[in-house]
Amino acid sequence: MSTSAAVSPASTSVRVSVVVPVFRPGDAFDELIASLDAQTLAHDRFEVLLCDDGSGDETRVRLEEVARDRPFVRVALLPHSGWPGTPRNHGIDEAKGTYIQFVDQDDWLYPGALEALCDYADANASDVIVGKEVGIGRRLPSRIFRRDVPRARLGEDPLLEMLTPHKMFRTSFLREHRIRFPDGKVRLEDHLFVMRAYFEASTISILASQPCYAWVKHAGSASSSRIDPESYFPHLEAVLDLVERYTEPGRLRDRLLRHWFRGKILKRLTGKKMLGYPDDYRERLLDVVGPLAQRRFGPGVDGGLSFPNRIRAALLRANRRADLLTFARFETEMTCRAVVTSARWSRGGGLYLTVDVSVTRNGADALVFEPGTRILTSLPVAMDGLPTGLLEAGRELKNDQVGLVLRDKAAGLERKIASVQPRDPHTTSLAIDPLKVFGRDDESRGAKLVVTVRRAGWTFDVPLTADAATLAAAGPSPLLAGRRCTLVAGRGGAVELRREWPGGRVRDLAGRAARRLRSAAVSARASGSRRPSR
């Protein structure tokens, strides 16, 4: 039974209704309420619907205490359904706001989130607004939040990267199209809801320029690494049915289907995961996903997969289970290393590193390609009976990349500081400019350097290593590098870039000033050379 009554959003000035499905919330719920109290949007311009899924008296008392001194909070006490879909649907029915923002009980909103999202939606006449999500204790996809996209296009912009329900929707849009979550325990219910909204929306907008939603990972959070195949994948097929209902055969459909093939099936068959399953579970999984791959994902879907996944998909469809295991073992036996062979500072303040990158297996090159054809010859799996050209990796080899990341897990620091497409797969040069890596007010004392390697579609994330003598040969950082920076070989030879802080402010200011003067001089010379002679 609900303690609130349905009203028409047209009769109120409430801009947004925050709908929170609740079930026996823990301590993190207090952080959510505090974040709602702190919203810059006036409290009489938004409401919070706490939709409890039959938690019991203890939760009821707690929610009533929250609502007692907060006129903008309403509590709905519902029969237990066991899943968040029904409480969210109740929120859609009861919402007074022009928009609805879904928030989970363990997460929270940044102070300016509601105001910014409503303003952005108003400006763009948006039906769906994807606010920037920030992972707290979890890594999130990044491409979707690289820039604001007022009118995002499904299949062109990376909307599929975030199919969580943590979004804002126009209330009248949801009601007009009868877009609802499935009631009861339905896996991938968020995918069904969000994809239906994406297909029906006239305008989907991405607000990436400011953080909106904190998606928090707590101890004991559910993991998708081990699911019950027989009950899970019928729910996945419901999502695929939805995609096929809204698309025609062709490029867009293949691109959309590829997202679920890669993320929900092939990802579960990679290296360590595949080898880590108990034998009986692995057989059950393959009994389900093999026929599913044959039935639902055609050659057009495979065309956009990475090189390793194209091989994996072909082996899966052919029911080559022993070869799938061999392929997984091949992946787990590959070892990547990145070793500094030389380091030097330039007078202009740049740090230049020569790095040897190797991907080996049993002491030899793991990824050997035939010159000219670029066919992988080192794979210990026979390809007879499989599609021709399966081992050609020309496209992927052109996109090989080596990057350098500054990483401090304890401080939550993860900063990409260099990236190159190497001409030689074994040796590459990387440049670091400390004044660009560290801003004026950056208090970082430095962190470990990690190398990200993309080779023929496989990716590796390994520490940069070096011996102390190689790093010492670089000498001290010059003035134009700003605060003193030093390369140090730590435990196991792992390289750290250490930076002077809080001292070195004068040196930093001097370095930046010298850079500006040098840049102005270069511009002046260039301008002079362009002047016509008289």
PDB file of all heavy atoms in Angstrom, residues 256-280:
ATOM      1  N   LEU A 256      24.475  -3.263 -32.712  1.00  0.00           N
ATOM      2  CA  LEU A 256      23.840  -3.356 -31.402  1.00  0.00           C
ATOM      3  C   LEU A 256      23.961  -4.768 -30.838  1.00  0.00           C
ATOM      4  O   LEU A 256      24.318  -4.947 -29.669  1.00  0.00           O
ATOM      5  CB  LEU A 256      22.373  -2.943 -31.497  1.00  0.00           C
ATOM      6  CG  LEU A 256      22.097  -1.500 -31.946  1.00  0.00           C
ATOM      7  CD1 LEU A 256      20.601  -1.238 -31.969  1.00  0.00           C
ATOM      8  CD2 LEU A 256      22.797  -0.489 -31.050  1.00  0.00           C
ATOM      9  N   LEU A 257      23.672  -5.785 -31.630  1.00  0.00           N
ATOM     10  CA  LEU A 257      23.760  -7.157 -31.152  1.00  0.00           C
ATOM     11  C   LEU A 257      25.177  -7.509 -30.711  1.00  0.00           C
ATOM     12  O   LEU A 257      25.380  -8.282 -29.771  1.00  0.00           O
ATOM     13  CB  LEU A 257      23.299  -8.130 -32.244  1.00  0.00           C
ATOM     14  CG  LEU A 257      21.821  -8.091 -32.626  1.00  0.00           C
ATOM     15  CD1 LEU A 257      21.544  -9.077 -33.760  1.00  0.00           C
ATOM     16  CD2 LEU A 257      20.935  -8.403 -31.422  1.00  0.00           C
ATOM     17  N   ARG A 258      26.151  -6.921 -31.394  1.00  0.00           N
ATOM     18  CA  ARG A 258      27.559  -7.186 -31.065  1.00  0.00           C
ATOM     19  C   ARG A 258      27.873  -6.820 -29.620  1.00  0.00           C
ATOM     20  O   ARG A 258      28.687  -7.470 -28.960  1.00  0.00           O
ATOM     21  CB  ARG A 258      28.457  -6.398 -32.014  1.00  0.00           C
ATOM     22  CG  ARG A 258      29.938  -6.723 -31.912  1.00  0.00           C
ATOM     23  CD  ARG A 258      30.720  -5.885 -32.922  1.00  0.00           C
ATOM     24  NE  ARG A 258      30.210  -6.107 -34.260  1.00  0.00           N
ATOM     25  CZ  ARG A 258      29.875  -5.132 -35.122  1.00  0.00           C
ATOM     26  NH1 ARG A 258      29.966  -3.868 -34.751  1.00  0.00           N
ATOM     27  NH2 ARG A 258      29.428  -5.430 -36.314  1.00  0.00           N
ATOM     28  N   HIS A 259      27.224  -5.797 -29.124  1.00  0.00           N
ATOM     29  CA  HIS A 259      27.467  -5.352 -27.743  1.00  0.00           C
ATOM     30  C   HIS A 259      27.181  -6.484 -26.760  1.00  0.00           C
ATOM     31  O   HIS A 259      27.978  -6.748 -25.849  1.00  0.00           O
ATOM     32  CB  HIS A 259      26.581  -4.142 -27.435  1.00  0.00           C
ATOM     33  CG  HIS A 259      26.561  -3.757 -25.997  1.00  0.00           C
ATOM     34  ND1 HIS A 259      27.580  -3.053 -25.395  1.00  0.00           N
ATOM     35  CD2 HIS A 259      25.643  -4.005 -25.015  1.00  0.00           C
ATOM     36  CE1 HIS A 259      27.295  -2.870 -24.119  1.00  0.00           C
ATOM     37  NE2 HIS A 259      26.132  -3.436 -23.865  1.00  0.00           N
ATOM     38  N   TRP A 260      26.058  -7.168 -26.920  1.00  0.00           N
ATOM     39  CA  TRP A 260      25.692  -8.233 -25.977  1.00  0.00           C
ATOM     40  C   TRP A 260      26.464  -9.527 -26.252  1.00  0.00           C
ATOM     41  O   TRP A 260      26.783 -10.252 -25.318  1.00  0.00           O
ATOM     42  CB  TRP A 260      24.191  -8.477 -26.020  1.00  0.00           C
ATOM     43  CG  TRP A 260      23.460  -7.375 -25.313  1.00  0.00           C
ATOM     44  CD1 TRP A 260      23.229  -7.268 -23.969  1.00  0.00           C
ATOM     45  CD2 TRP A 260      22.895  -6.206 -25.896  1.00  0.00           C
ATOM     46  NE1 TRP A 260      22.551  -6.108 -23.686  1.00  0.00           N
ATOM     47  CE2 TRP A 260      22.321  -5.434 -24.852  1.00  0.00           C
ATOM     48  CE3 TRP A 260      22.794  -5.727 -27.200  1.00  0.00           C
ATOM     49  CZ2 TRP A 260      21.676  -4.228 -25.075  1.00  0.00           C
ATOM     50  CZ3 TRP A 260      22.154  -4.523 -27.430  1.00  0.00           C
ATOM     51  CH2 TRP A 260      21.605  -3.787 -26.364  1.00  0.00           C
ATOM     52  N   PHE A 261      26.758  -9.807 -27.519  1.00  0.00           N
ATOM     53  CA  PHE A 261      27.555 -10.994 -27.840  1.00  0.00           C
ATOM     54  C   PHE A 261      28.929 -10.893 -27.186  1.00  0.00           C
ATOM     55  O   PHE A 261      29.413 -11.837 -26.559  1.00  0.00           O
ATOM     56  CB  PHE A 261      27.676 -11.127 -29.359  1.00  0.00           C
ATOM     57  CG  PHE A 261      28.257 -12.432 -29.829  1.00  0.00           C
ATOM     58  CD1 PHE A 261      28.078 -13.607 -29.106  1.00  0.00           C
ATOM     59  CD2 PHE A 261      28.978 -12.496 -31.015  1.00  0.00           C
ATOM     60  CE1 PHE A 261      28.603 -14.822 -29.558  1.00  0.00           C
ATOM     61  CE2 PHE A 261      29.509 -13.696 -31.472  1.00  0.00           C
ATOM     62  CZ  PHE A 261      29.328 -14.856 -30.739  1.00  0.00           C
ATOM     63  N   ARG A 262      29.535  -9.729 -27.312  1.00  0.00           N
ATOM     64  CA  ARG A 262      30.871  -9.516 -26.751  1.00  0.00           C
ATOM     65  C   ARG A 262      30.837  -9.474 -25.224  1.00  0.00           C
ATOM     66  O   ARG A 262      31.658 -10.103 -24.553  1.00  0.00           O
ATOM     67  CB  ARG A 262      31.442  -8.212 -27.303  1.00  0.00           C
ATOM     68  CG  ARG A 262      32.836  -7.854 -26.816  1.00  0.00           C
ATOM     69  CD  ARG A 262      33.351  -6.634 -27.552  1.00  0.00           C
ATOM     70  NE  ARG A 262      32.408  -5.543 -27.513  1.00  0.00           N
ATOM     71  CZ  ARG A 262      32.054  -4.824 -28.571  1.00  0.00           C
ATOM     72  NH1 ARG A 262      32.532  -5.102 -29.771  1.00  0.00           N
ATOM     73  NH2 ARG A 262      31.192  -3.831 -28.456  1.00  0.00           N
ATOM     74  N   GLY A 263      29.882  -8.726 -24.672  1.00  0.00           N
ATOM     75  CA  GLY A 263      29.898  -8.454 -23.235  1.00  0.00           C
ATOM     76  C   GLY A 263      29.252  -9.523 -22.377  1.00  0.00           C
ATOM     77  O   GLY A 263      29.644  -9.696 -21.214  1.00  0.00           O
ATOM     78  N   LYS A 264      28.275 -10.254 -22.915  1.00  0.00           N
ATOM     79  CA  LYS A 264      27.543 -11.231 -22.108  1.00  0.00           C
ATOM     80  C   LYS A 264      27.888 -12.682 -22.419  1.00  0.00           C
ATOM     81  O   LYS A 264      27.575 -13.566 -21.621  1.00  0.00           O
ATOM     82  CB  LYS A 264      26.033 -11.019 -22.274  1.00  0.00           C
ATOM     83  CG  LYS A 264      25.552  -9.648 -21.833  1.00  0.00           C
ATOM     84  CD  LYS A 264      25.882  -9.374 -20.364  1.00  0.00           C
ATOM     85  CE  LYS A 264      25.398  -8.007 -19.929  1.00  0.00           C
ATOM     86  NZ  LYS A 264      25.797  -7.705 -18.532  1.00  0.00           N
ATOM     87  N   ILE A 265      28.523 -12.923 -23.554  1.00  0.00           N
ATOM     88  CA  ILE A 265      28.865 -14.298 -23.909  1.00  0.00           C
ATOM     89  C   ILE A 265      30.380 -14.470 -24.064  1.00  0.00           C
ATOM     90  O   ILE A 265      31.015 -15.194 -23.298  1.00  0.00           O
ATOM     91  CB  ILE A 265      28.131 -14.735 -25.194  1.00  0.00           C
ATOM     92  CG1 ILE A 265      26.619 -14.754 -24.940  1.00  0.00           C
ATOM     93  CG2 ILE A 265      28.611 -16.113 -25.660  1.00  0.00           C
ATOM     94  CD1 ILE A 265      25.793 -15.140 -26.150  1.00  0.00           C
ATOM     95  N   LEU A 266      30.969 -13.795 -25.050  1.00  0.00           N
ATOM     96  CA  LEU A 266      32.391 -14.010 -25.332  1.00  0.00           C
ATOM     97  C   LEU A 266      33.276 -13.619 -24.157  1.00  0.00           C
ATOM     98  O   LEU A 266      34.297 -14.266 -23.903  1.00  0.00           O
ATOM     99  CB  LEU A 266      32.790 -13.229 -26.591  1.00  0.00           C
ATOM    100  CG  LEU A 266      32.079 -13.660 -27.883  1.00  0.00           C
ATOM    101  CD1 LEU A 266      32.512 -12.793 -29.046  1.00  0.00           C
ATOM    102  CD2 LEU A 266      32.351 -15.139 -28.187  1.00  0.00           C
ATOM    103  N   LYS A 267      32.877 -12.580 -23.430  1.00  0.00           N
ATOM    104  CA  LYS A 267      33.669 -12.158 -22.269  1.00  0.00           C
ATOM    105  C   LYS A 267      33.760 -13.265 -21.227  1.00  0.00           C
ATOM    106  O   LYS A 267      34.750 -13.367 -20.495  1.00  0.00           O
ATOM    107  CB  LYS A 267      33.029 -10.897 -21.663  1.00  0.00           C
ATOM    108  CG  LYS A 267      33.820 -10.287 -20.531  1.00  0.00           C
ATOM    109  CD  LYS A 267      33.131  -9.019 -20.032  1.00  0.00           C
ATOM    110  CE  LYS A 267      33.903  -8.391 -18.881  1.00  0.00           C
ATOM    111  NZ  LYS A 267      33.233  -7.146 -18.410  1.00  0.00           N
ATOM    112  N   ARG A 268      32.741 -14.110 -21.163  1.00  0.00           N
ATOM    113  CA  ARG A 268      32.730 -15.207 -20.183  1.00  0.00           C
ATOM    114  C   ARG A 268      33.570 -16.399 -20.638  1.00  0.00           C
ATOM    115  O   ARG A 268      33.715 -17.375 -19.898  1.00  0.00           O
ATOM    116  CB  ARG A 268      31.289 -15.642 -19.916  1.00  0.00           C
ATOM    117  CG  ARG A 268      30.493 -14.622 -19.116  1.00  0.00           C
ATOM    118  CD  ARG A 268      29.122 -15.152 -18.717  1.00  0.00           C
ATOM    119  NE  ARG A 268      28.571 -14.383 -17.610  1.00  0.00           N
ATOM    120  CZ  ARG A 268      27.813 -13.294 -17.745  1.00  0.00           C
ATOM    121  NH1 ARG A 268      27.494 -12.879 -18.961  1.00  0.00           N
ATOM    122  NH2 ARG A 268      27.379 -12.641 -16.678  1.00  0.00           N
ATOM    123  N   LEU A 269      34.094 -16.337 -21.859  1.00  0.00           N
ATOM    124  CA  LEU A 269      34.869 -17.457 -22.398  1.00  0.00           C
ATOM    125  C   LEU A 269      36.341 -17.104 -22.573  1.00  0.00           C
ATOM    126  O   LEU A 269      37.083 -17.829 -23.233  1.00  0.00           O
ATOM    127  CB  LEU A 269      34.275 -17.894 -23.750  1.00  0.00           C
ATOM    128  CG  LEU A 269      32.780 -18.226 -23.757  1.00  0.00           C
ATOM    129  CD1 LEU A 269      32.341 -18.638 -25.152  1.00  0.00           C
ATOM    130  CD2 LEU A 269      32.449 -19.316 -22.746  1.00  0.00           C
ATOM    131  N   THR A 270      36.785 -15.999 -22.004  1.00  0.00           N
ATOM    132  CA  THR A 270      38.175 -15.573 -22.153  1.00  0.00           C
ATOM    133  C   THR A 270      39.065 -16.273 -21.136  1.00  0.00           C
ATOM    134  O   THR A 270      38.602 -16.704 -20.070  1.00  0.00           O
ATOM    135  CB  THR A 270      38.299 -14.056 -21.974  1.00  0.00           C
ATOM    136  OG1 THR A 270      37.751 -13.683 -20.700  1.00  0.00           O
ATOM    137  CG2 THR A 270      37.562 -13.310 -23.063  1.00  0.00           C
ATOM    138  N   GLY A 271      40.351 -16.375 -21.500  1.00  0.00           N
ATOM    139  CA  GLY A 271      41.418 -16.910 -20.697  1.00  0.00           C
ATOM    140  C   GLY A 271      41.127 -17.444 -19.318  1.00  0.00           C
ATOM    141  O   GLY A 271      40.653 -18.557 -19.137  1.00  0.00           O
ATOM    142  N   LYS A 272      41.419 -16.625 -18.298  1.00  0.00           N
ATOM    143  CA  LYS A 272      41.326 -17.066 -16.903  1.00  0.00           C
ATOM    144  C   LYS A 272      39.905 -17.459 -16.520  1.00  0.00           C
ATOM    145  O   LYS A 272      39.706 -18.397 -15.747  1.00  0.00           O
ATOM    146  CB  LYS A 272      41.841 -15.972 -15.979  1.00  0.00           C
ATOM    147  CG  LYS A 272      43.340 -15.755 -16.046  1.00  0.00           C
ATOM    148  CD  LYS A 272      43.789 -14.693 -15.047  1.00  0.00           C
ATOM    149  CE  LYS A 272      45.296 -14.495 -15.120  1.00  0.00           C
ATOM    150  NZ  LYS A 272      45.745 -13.442 -14.168  1.00  0.00           N
ATOM    151  N   LYS A 273      38.908 -16.736 -17.043  1.00  0.00           N
ATOM    152  CA  LYS A 273      37.530 -17.089 -16.707  1.00  0.00           C
ATOM    153  C   LYS A 273      37.192 -18.487 -17.203  1.00  0.00           C
ATOM    154  O   LYS A 273      36.635 -19.315 -16.469  1.00  0.00           O
ATOM    155  CB  LYS A 273      36.555 -16.066 -17.294  1.00  0.00           C
ATOM    156  CG  LYS A 273      36.541 -14.751 -16.558  1.00  0.00           C
ATOM    157  CD  LYS A 273      35.421 -13.863 -17.055  1.00  0.00           C
ATOM    158  CE  LYS A 273      35.372 -12.570 -16.243  1.00  0.00           C
ATOM    159  NZ  LYS A 273      34.262 -11.686 -16.679  1.00  0.00           N
ATOM    160  N   MET A 274      37.523 -18.762 -18.447  1.00  0.00           N
ATOM    161  CA  MET A 274      37.200 -20.060 -19.044  1.00  0.00           C
ATOM    162  C   MET A 274      37.884 -21.191 -18.286  1.00  0.00           C
ATOM    163  O   MET A 274      37.280 -22.217 -17.979  1.00  0.00           O
ATOM    164  CB  MET A 274      37.637 -20.045 -20.513  1.00  0.00           C
ATOM    165  CG  MET A 274      37.269 -21.278 -21.292  1.00  0.00           C
ATOM    166  SD  MET A 274      35.497 -21.401 -21.579  1.00  0.00           S
ATOM    167  CE  MET A 274      35.486 -22.652 -22.863  1.00  0.00           C
ATOM    168  N   LEU A 275      39.160 -20.989 -17.950  1.00  0.00           N
ATOM    169  CA  LEU A 275      39.911 -22.035 -17.269  1.00  0.00           C
ATOM    170  C   LEU A 275      39.513 -22.162 -15.804  1.00  0.00           C
ATOM    171  O   LEU A 275      39.710 -23.218 -15.196  1.00  0.00           O
ATOM    172  CB  LEU A 275      41.412 -21.747 -17.369  1.00  0.00           C
ATOM    173  CG  LEU A 275      42.004 -21.757 -18.783  1.00  0.00           C
ATOM    174  CD1 LEU A 275      43.470 -21.386 -18.739  1.00  0.00           C
ATOM    175  CD2 LEU A 275      41.824 -23.120 -19.438  1.00  0.00           C
ATOM    176  N   GLY A 276      38.948 -21.108 -15.245  1.00  0.00           N
ATOM    177  CA  GLY A 276      38.607 -21.121 -13.830  1.00  0.00           C
ATOM    178  C   GLY A 276      37.290 -21.794 -13.506  1.00  0.00           C
ATOM    179  O   GLY A 276      37.005 -22.079 -12.339  1.00  0.00           O
ATOM    180  N   TYR A 277      36.467 -22.055 -14.529  1.00  0.00           N
ATOM    181  CA  TYR A 277      35.181 -22.697 -14.265  1.00  0.00           C
ATOM    182  C   TYR A 277      35.377 -24.173 -13.897  1.00  0.00           C
ATOM    183  O   TYR A 277      36.210 -24.872 -14.503  1.00  0.00           O
ATOM    184  CB  TYR A 277      34.283 -22.638 -15.503  1.00  0.00           C
ATOM    185  CG  TYR A 277      33.890 -21.260 -15.961  1.00  0.00           C
ATOM    186  CD1 TYR A 277      33.861 -20.945 -17.319  1.00  0.00           C
ATOM    187  CD2 TYR A 277      33.530 -20.272 -15.056  1.00  0.00           C
ATOM    188  CE1 TYR A 277      33.484 -19.684 -17.759  1.00  0.00           C
ATOM    189  CE2 TYR A 277      33.152 -19.003 -15.486  1.00  0.00           C
ATOM    190  CZ  TYR A 277      33.140 -18.719 -16.834  1.00  0.00           C
ATOM    191  OH  TYR A 277      32.769 -17.476 -17.269  1.00  0.00           O
ATOM    192  N   PRO A 278      34.595 -24.682 -12.959  1.00  0.00           N
ATOM    193  CA  PRO A 278      34.553 -26.137 -12.768  1.00  0.00           C
ATOM    194  C   PRO A 278      34.085 -26.796 -14.064  1.00  0.00           C
ATOM    195  O   PRO A 278      33.308 -26.216 -14.828  1.00  0.00           O
ATOM    196  CB  PRO A 278      33.516 -26.320 -11.650  1.00  0.00           C
ATOM    197  CG  PRO A 278      33.460 -24.990 -10.954  1.00  0.00           C
ATOM    198  CD  PRO A 278      33.730 -23.956 -12.007  1.00  0.00           C
ATOM    199  N   ASP A 279      34.554 -28.021 -14.309  1.00  0.00           N
ATOM    200  CA  ASP A 279      34.259 -28.685 -15.585  1.00  0.00           C
ATOM    201  C   ASP A 279      32.759 -28.773 -15.858  1.00  0.00           C
ATOM    202  O   ASP A 279      32.304 -28.512 -16.984  1.00  0.00           O
ATOM    203  CB  ASP A 279      34.861 -30.096 -15.596  1.00  0.00           C
ATOM    204  CG  ASP A 279      36.380 -30.083 -15.638  1.00  0.00           C
ATOM    205  OD1 ASP A 279      36.945 -29.004 -15.923  1.00  0.00           O
ATOM    206  OD2 ASP A 279      36.996 -31.126 -15.388  1.00  0.00           O
ATOM    207  N   ASP A 280      31.984 -29.129 -14.833  1.00  0.00           N
ATOM    208  CA  ASP A 280      30.550 -29.291 -15.064  1.00  0.00           C
ATOM    209  C   ASP A 280      29.874 -27.961 -15.367  1.00  0.00           C
ATOM    210  O   ASP A 280      28.973 -27.882 -16.208  1.00  0.00           O
ATOM    211  CB  ASP A 280      29.883 -29.972 -13.868  1.00  0.00           C
ATOM    212  CG  ASP A 280      30.028 -29.187 -12.576  1.00  0.00           C
ATOM    213  OD1 ASP A 280      30.969 -28.384 -12.474  1.00  0.00           O
ATOM    214  OD2 ASP A 280      29.190 -29.378 -11.663  1.00  0.00           O
TER     215      ASP A 280
END
